[in-house]
Amino acid sequence: MSFQNPVFIPGPTNMPEAIRKACDMPTIDHRSPLFGQILHPARAGVQEVLKSETAEVFIFPSTGTGGWETALTNTLSAGDKVLAARNGMFSHRWIDMCTRHGLEVQVVEAGWGDGIPTETFAEILAADKGHTIKVVLATHNETATGVKSDIAAVRRALDDAGHPAMLFVDGVSSIGSMDFRFDEWGVDVAVTGSQKGFMLPAGLAIVGFSGKALEAQSTATLPRTFFDIADMAKGYDNNAYPYTPAVGLMNGLRLACETLLTEGLDNVFDRHHRIASGVRRAVDAWGLELCAASPNLYSDTVSAIKTPEGFNATDIVTRAADSYGVAFGVGLGEVAGKVFRIGHLGSMTDVMALSGIATAEMCMVDLGLDIKLGSGVAAAQEYYRGTLGATLKAVA
Ligand SMILES: *Cc1c(COP(=O)(O)O)cnc(C)c1O
């Protein structure tokens, strides 16, 4: 593996030098006011990235998975019912976590490549007259399949049914890269981690809680210690933590938020859309298809690309690592061996994406797939040349 090449996995993502350096700092006393100068701007920055005026932001030394656990254990009790769709590895793992915590999960099975079936959600919510469903879980961007779901439509399903269930959204591979609207969508808990849109190493679970989700603490009896947001909130009041914070990572997070907000969130989202669109042009030129079933589901942070029947897609990932020192993502779960993934989120440009597309092309030709060298690169080049305005806006 080469340290010179960018990675094309959908997290951890490439780190801008300045953000990497911000994580590398001398030891400070985390119970001193100096820590407050990192903690408070980091929390305020995350709130703004979530497009929220009110979300209470908590940052744990953990990963996105710890964020799921924070969401569940602070708001629910064993036996509580939650509604979730399974359409990929990450929604599957969140469901698995619920089951292990003794929650009753009503699972709506969806195709791996489909989005959240919001019409089915609407029917289930409308039929739940007794309001037994306490939470609806939604994975905004299924990183395993490159599928984006419509969170606003999930909110509408709740509202149309007049259903009071809370809405928890896994935004681990969307927040900071794709449009996410905590307040407008009526999200009650948003979950993410440091190593995707925030362009940091893994090591932080980042969550935003609505007022309603905060209130749910008073009745929630699931055991929680490390992830207790009440303990965390008490610490924040004193510029501190209930235990030792990951100070360097939080300093990186502070700068990552500043970087995203300086570029402008809408410019960040446009940049991701443009880069992703170029990758999709390449996939099309190769004569291949995305795992995502239709264009409205295409993710702007990761593309899962189906390879021909009988071909092991994982071989592309192995070849790229062994021969070219480049990392792509393998297929997970039901789509293992059937897709390979190009991650194109975080610190990414059109020029970087072209190198990934070129490398994928070399690997596919090396492995005997019927693909013409340069075909995908040329298609992406044409698209990038023709949409330069967007980049200039992002850089300005
Ligand atoms: C990466 C990811 C996770 C898991 O996050 P970790 O930080 O690895 O615990 C959860 N959900 C989605 C959608 C992801 O992409």
Side-chain angles (χ1 to χ4, degrees), residues 6-7 12-24 194-201 251-253 255-260 263 271-272 345-349 352:
V7 295
T13 61
N14 300 293
M15 290 184 272
E17 274 301 287
I19 291 178
R20 191 164 70 87
K21 284 178 179 159
C23 299
D24 180 4
S194 49
Q195 78 276 21
K196 299 193 183 172
F198 289 112
M199 307 168 282
L200 289 161
N251 194 44
L253 179 62
L255 184 62
C257 292
E258 198 181 300
T259 306
L260 290 169
E263 182 177 346
R271 172 166 57 81
H272 281 82
L345 74 161
S347 180
M348 183 65 60
T349 66
M352 288 161 85

Side-chain angles (χ1 to χ4, degrees), residues 2-163:
S2 161
F3 287 124
Q4 297 298 318
N5 294 328
V7 295
F8 296 96
I9 46 177
T13 61
N14 300 293
M15 290 184 272
E17 274 301 287
I19 291 178
R20 191 164 70 87
K21 284 178 179 159
C23 299
D24 180 4
M25 57 176 283
T27 305
I28 63 160
D29 177 3
H30 62 280
R31 300 193 189 284
S32 72
L34 194 53
F35 177 60
Q37 292 174 27
I38 296 172
L39 170 68
H40 301 303
R43 292 181 67 221
V46 170
Q47 192 190 56
E48 212 174 326
V49 170
L50 293 176
K51 290 195 177 168
S52 178
E53 309 254 296
T54 53
E56 199 68 41
V57 173
F58 300 101
I59 303 164
F60 293 89
S62 181
T63 71
T65 306
W68 287 341
E69 190 157 331
T70 304
L72 301 178
T73 57
N74 285 279
T75 57
L76 294 169
S77 306
D80 277 352
K81 192 166 167 186
V82 306
L83 172 65
R86 175 163 31 221
N87 63 333
M89 199 61 187
F90 292 95
S91 43
H92 166 71
R93 286 183 46 212
W94 205 3
I95 290 166
D96 175 55
M97 180 183 277
C98 290
T99 308
R100 294 196 206 188
H101 279 82
L103 300 171
E104 188 196 324
V105 194
Q106 180 163 1
V107 180
V108 178
E109 299 291 348
W112 286 44
D114 288 333
I116 294 172
T118 49
E119 277 162 28
T120 310
F121 272 24
E123 283 163 23
I124 291 169
L125 291 166
D128 181 32
K129 300 285 183 221
H131 299 161
T132 57
I133 295 167
K134 297 287 181 252
V135 170
V136 175
L137 301 183
T139 300
H140 185 200
N141 187 72
E142 233 321 332
T143 319
T145 55
V147 164
K148 167 188 69 175
S149 283
D150 186 349
I151 303 302
V154 179
R155 166 45 61 195
R156 270 197 306 280
L158 280 156
D159 290 348
D160 290 351
H163 201 293

Side-chain angles (χ1 to χ4, degrees), residues 53-344:
E53 309 254 296
T54 53
E56 199 68 41
V57 173
F58 300 101
I59 303 164
F60 293 89
S62 181
T63 71
T65 306
W68 287 341
E69 190 157 331
T70 304
L72 301 178
T73 57
N74 285 279
T75 57
L76 294 169
S77 306
D80 277 352
K81 192 166 167 186
V82 306
L83 172 65
R86 175 163 31 221
N87 63 333
M89 199 61 187
F90 292 95
S91 43
H92 166 71
R93 286 183 46 212
W94 205 3
I95 290 166
D96 175 55
M97 180 183 277
C98 290
T99 308
R100 294 196 206 188
H101 279 82
L103 300 171
E104 188 196 324
V105 194
Q106 180 163 1
V107 180
V108 178
E109 299 291 348
W112 286 44
D114 288 333
I116 294 172
T118 49
E119 277 162 28
T120 310
F121 272 24
E123 283 163 23
I124 291 169
L125 291 166
D128 181 32
K129 300 285 183 221
H131 299 161
T132 57
I133 295 167
K134 297 287 181 252
V135 170
V136 175
L137 301 183
T139 300
H140 185 200
N141 187 72
E142 233 321 332
T143 319
T145 55
V147 164
K148 167 188 69 175
S149 283
D150 186 349
I151 303 302
V154 179
R155 166 45 61 195
R156 270 197 306 280
L158 280 156
D159 290 348
D160 290 351
H163 201 293
M166 291 182 284
L167 172 59
F168 291 3
V169 182
D170 173 342
V172 180
S173 62
S174 60
I175 289 169
S177 318
M178 282 160 47
D179 198 7
F180 189 94
R181 306 180 182 198
F182 188 95
D183 287 357
E184 191 182 315
W185 295 342
V187 175
D188 289 296
V189 181
V191 176
T192 189
S194 49
Q195 78 276 21
K196 299 193 183 172
F198 289 112
M199 307 168 282
L200 289 161
L204 298 177
I206 301 163
V207 295
F209 273 61
S210 71
K212 187 167 161 185
L214 290 174
E215 272 171 31
Q217 285 175 93
S218 61
T219 51
T221 59
L222 278 180
R224 50 190 184 272
T225 308
F226 188 83
F227 292 117
D228 194 323
I229 57 169
D231 292 347
M232 192 57 93
K234 233 179 283 166
Y236 287 167
D237 289 341
N238 303 307
N239 287 331
Y241 252 58
Y243 36 75
T244 317
V247 177
L249 282 174
M250 292 182 63
N251 194 44
L253 179 62
R254 178 194 58 71
L255 184 62
C257 292
E258 198 181 300
T259 306
L260 290 169
L261 295 167
T262 303
E263 182 177 346
L265 287 180
D266 290 338
N267 293 333
V268 171
F269 305 148
D270 286 352
R271 172 166 57 81
H272 281 82
H273 180 70
R274 179 168 170 273
I275 291 169
S277 300
V279 172
R280 294 192 278 261
R281 297 296 167 106
V283 172
D284 202 38
W286 294 331
L288 298 178
E289 283 183 356
L290 292 173
C291 180
S294 58
N296 61 316
L297 300 173
Y298 291 168
S299 162
D300 284 341
T301 59
V302 54
S303 296
I305 300 157
K306 288 196 278 192
T307 52
E309 197 81 22
F311 181 90
N312 182 4
T314 302
D315 289 347
I316 295 172
V317 180
T318 308
R319 177 79 190 176
D322 291 351
S323 302
Y324 302 108
V326 167
F328 294 113
V330 295
L332 302 172
E334 264 186 34
V335 292
K338 296 180 181 158
V339 306
F340 75 102
R341 294 177 298 154
I342 301 182
H344 33 75

